[in-house]
């Protein structure tokens, strides 16, 4: 296929693809009749080639025997502000820049005010920080499909934590594993710190069998002076402590007792464990021991640790995979307690999110606020694929605080800049404040409906639930789990005074009692009409607004 294209303001073109069949795939870049660059795709797996061209020039781009999963162009000098320009190379070429990106994000189940990649899979947020005038979020990304695999580090920046600009991919799976059938690599989760006026990334490099029967994980680092161009990675922690088989990942680097600490998660002697390393220069690291080990038999592996001092107390957050191997069975647990003699001593604990569609959160501090994002996608098999769609999103940015030893989470106040007068069906926000405490009648709220079903939120004496009611099958639980991964109920331990609900195209976040408890839940409804309908209005003060798209 031949495409004729002007390079615009860009100087780089990145194309990820794989050959079709046995013949080698190829990309050729032709300028004024002369071939100036070419790339050969020789393997069955996806790989990325970087091509350079001059700005504002006309080129011929020849794509031969190639399946392209992702293509974009950009200029390193302006990409932080302008972002990359995505290119769809079909029968014709379509280009989406920062101003026209919304034209590509038209899928029915595409969330409109939660961050998601341009297309395909994302999971854990990584490397959250503020650097050189931008908030940076990196994330686990598979540009080649809407399912987990081929772990890259995606990247986006923002000025306000709401509107995001897509950046070039930062890290890739090991290229040397292309063609090695039965093995896989990946750039797994990690964190970022700003030191010596540089943005420094730390993450887990993974290598192992595709069937997960054997794997190896080690920690690497890379850095950038501008947030765009990154150095080659260097290994900083290769070995594993005694008792570790292979689960040893997700470094969170922090300052602790005046020194750099790397907090890692995994398992030791078949129990979930949190490890600590220490460094003077962020390069050489010394093992200091296990700071916390979980005894609850429900949990088998620890992941994505976070550790920080907040409101006069230490907070540890750990994501856990269940020990019994149930698919997508996970929890995120917070602990508050003391830091004594290089050991964390928990005093209280709870779930960061009771809804189960919130995992692998990461936080950072900027201007006195502890800011947090999580991944809204735990039950991967429930996803409904759409052409050009994405699977997974980030939660709304939350401000964390500790009150009476408990972790609270509220959405950043900047979210209100997206609100406008409710004008009809679409993504919205609703807040309910209880007016009657003596006589507490059940609360029934319709959140969304379609031709054949309704989505309800109910509350009665502290018991809260979300359920799908189908007009034909009524409350058939099997139908609900197959068609809508949303059936959920929970008993809160205190009177509910306030409820804030954020309803997006395929995701709901609910905040009880100013963030004492939070529930995040994905949902899918065909031709859903997003509009609240409340029964017993006189018992609650109600306020609701439409929420505009961040794209």
């Amino acid at each position: 296929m031949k495409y004729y294209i002007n390079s615009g303001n860009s100087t780089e073109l990145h194309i990820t693809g794989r050959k079709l069949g046995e013949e080698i795939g190829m990309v050729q870049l032709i300028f004024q009749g002369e071939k100036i660059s070419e790339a050969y795709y020789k393997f069955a797996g996806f790989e990325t080639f970087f091509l350079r061209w001059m700005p504002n020039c006309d080129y011929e781009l020849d794509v031969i025997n190639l399946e392209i999963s992702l293509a974009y162009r950009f200029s390193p000098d302006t990409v932080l502000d302008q972002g990359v320009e995505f290119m769809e190379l079909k029968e014709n070429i379509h280009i989406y820049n920062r101003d026209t990106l919304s034209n590509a994000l038209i899928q029915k189940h595409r969330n409109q005010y939660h961050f998601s990649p341009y297309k395909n899979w994302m999971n854990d947020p990584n490397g959250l920080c503020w650097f050189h005038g931008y908030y940076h979020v990196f994330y686990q990304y598979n540009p080649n499909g809407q399912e987990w695999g081929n772990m890259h580090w995606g990247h986006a920046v923002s000025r306000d934590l709401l509107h995001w600009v897509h950046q070039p991919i930062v890290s890739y799976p090991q290229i040397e594993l292309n063609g090695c059938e039965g093995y896989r690599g990946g750039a797994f989760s990690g964190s970022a710190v700003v030191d010596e006026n540089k943005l420094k990334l730390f993450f887990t490099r993974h290598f192992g069998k595709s069937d997960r029967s054997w794997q190896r994980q080690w920690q690497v680092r890379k850095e950038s002076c501008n947030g765009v161009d990154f150095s080659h990675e260097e290994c900083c922690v290769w070995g594993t402590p005694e008792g570790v088989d292979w689960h040893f990942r997700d470094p969170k680097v922090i300052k602790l007792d005046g020194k750099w600490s790397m907090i890692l998660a995994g398992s030791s002697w078949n129990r979930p464990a949190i490890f600590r390393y220490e460094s003077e220069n962020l390069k050489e690291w010394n093992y200091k021991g296990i700071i916390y080990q979980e005894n609850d038999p429900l949990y088998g592996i620890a992941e994505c640790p976070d550790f920080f001092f907040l409101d006069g107390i230490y907070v540890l957050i750990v994501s856990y995979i269940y020990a019994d191997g149930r698919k997508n069975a996970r929890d995120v647990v917070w602990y508050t307690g003391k830091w004594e003699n290089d050991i964390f001593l928990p005093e209280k604990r709870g779930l960061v999110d009771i809804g189960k569609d919130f995992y692998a959160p990461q936080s950072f501090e900027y201007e006195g606020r502890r800011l947090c994002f999580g991944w809204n996608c735990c039950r991967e098999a429930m996803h409904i694929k759409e052409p050009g769609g994405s699977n997974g999103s980030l939660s709304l940015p939350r401000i964390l605080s500790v009150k009476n030893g408990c972790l609270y989470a509220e959405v950043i106040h900047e979210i209100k800049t997206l609100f406008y007068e409710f004008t009809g069906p679409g993504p919205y926000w609703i807040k309910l404040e209880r007016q009657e405490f003596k006589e507490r009648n059940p609360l029934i709220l319709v959140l969304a409906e379609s031709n054949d079903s309704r989505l309800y939120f109910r509350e009665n004496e502290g018991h809260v639930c979300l359920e799908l009611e189908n007009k034909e099958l009524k409350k058939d639980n099997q139908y609900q789990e197959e068609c809508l991964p949303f059936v959920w109920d929970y008993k809160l331990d205190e009177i509910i005074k306030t409820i804030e609900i954020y309803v997006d195209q395929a995701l709901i976040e609910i905040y009880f009692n100013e963030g004492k408890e939070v529930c995040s839940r994905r949902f899918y409804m065909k031709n859903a009409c997003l509009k609240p309908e409340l029964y017993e209005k006189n018992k609650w003060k109600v306020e609701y607004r439409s929420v505009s798209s961040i794209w």
Side-chain angles (χ1 to χ4, degrees), residues 356-371:
K356 299 292 188 180
D357 279 342
F358 180 92
Y359 195 71
Q362 189 174 117
S363 72
F364 70 108
E365 185 176 346
Y366 180 67
E367 292 188 336
R369 299 193 298 180
R370 173 60 60 169
L371 300 163

Side-chain angles (χ1 to χ4, degrees), residues 50-74:
F50 311 139
L51 306 176
R52 298 184 184 276
W53 55 14
M54 295 181 294
N56 301 308
C57 292
D58 294 324
Y59 288 86
E60 177 185 321
L61 180 66
D62 294 347
V63 178
I64 304 166
N65 194 48
L66 188 67
E67 175 191 352
I68 295 177
S69 63
L70 185 69
Y72 56 83
R73 66 186 190 183
F74 66 97

Side-chain angles (χ1 to χ4, degrees), residues 4 30 34 69 126 175 188 460 463:
Y4 297 93
I30 298 172
E34 181 180 350
S69 63
N126 299 148
I175 186 66
F188 279 18
N460 187 15
H463 182 267

Side-chain angles (χ1 to χ4, degrees), residues 161 310 368-372 396-401 407-414 511 514-515:
L161 290 169
L310 180 63
R369 299 193 298 180
R370 173 60 60 169
L371 300 163
C372 175
L396 293 173
R398 302 177 180 181
I399 300 175
L400 302 182
S401 61
L407 188 68
Y408 281 65
E410 296 182 87
V411 178
I412 61 171
H413 66 271
E414 292 94 327
Y511 294 75
E514 310 299 337

